[in-house]
Amino acid sequence: MIAVRVDHTLYADSRWYTGSGIYRHVWLNVTDKVHVAQWGTFVTTPLITKETAKVSVENTIENESGKTQNLEVLSVVLGKKEKRSAGISRLNLFL
């Protein structure tokens, strides 16, 4: 069971209405203790010509396990029809 509660005691922003609530979509993100951070992948194309393009991929990895972890980060750029259109970047990390 998950319970969500709104604490509106610090915000007296309404003279007539003292209630509050959640009026927008809510998401629950469940991850492993070692994971790519939310908004943690950043892809840029610093150089583009008619023939080629350079693609740069940056990932932020979070380790919330409390222990050093050995992991591999694999980045693949896919093009039309999910065909690999760039080289594979493989990186071994100790976090």
Side-chain angles (χ1 to χ4, degrees), residues 71-82:
L71 60 120
E72 179 179 82
V73 177
L74 178 67
S75 298
V76 178
V77 177
L78 301 177
K80 292 180 181 179
K81 298 183 182 178
E82 296 187 12

Side-chain angles (χ1 to χ4, degrees), residues 14-40:
S14 176
R15 182 174 177 181
W16 307 110
Y17 179 68
T18 59
S20 63
I22 298 173
Y23 298 102
R24 301 208 186 329
H25 297 291
V26 176
W27 292 268
L28 175 64
N29 295 324
V30 178
T31 63
D32 288 331
K33 292 185 186 257
V34 179
H35 58 273
V36 176
Q38 183 175 8
W39 314 114

Side-chain angles (χ1 to χ4, degrees), residues 20-77:
S20 63
I22 298 173
Y23 298 102
R24 301 208 186 329
H25 297 291
V26 176
W27 292 268
L28 175 64
N29 295 324
V30 178
T31 63
D32 288 331
K33 292 185 186 257
V34 179
H35 58 273
V36 176
Q38 183 175 8
W39 314 114
T41 299
F42 190 66
V43 180
T44 59
T45 50
L47 177 65
I48 300 174
T49 68
K50 288 184 178 185
E51 296 81 28
T52 63
K54 180 179 180 180
V55 178
S56 176
V57 179
E58 295 180 36
N59 289 308
T60 301
I61 310 297
E62 293 183 346
N63 180 1
E64 298 173 344
S65 70
K67 300 176 186 174
T68 300
Q69 300 289 325
N70 180 12
L71 60 120
E72 179 179 82
V73 177
L74 178 67
S75 298
V76 178
V77 177

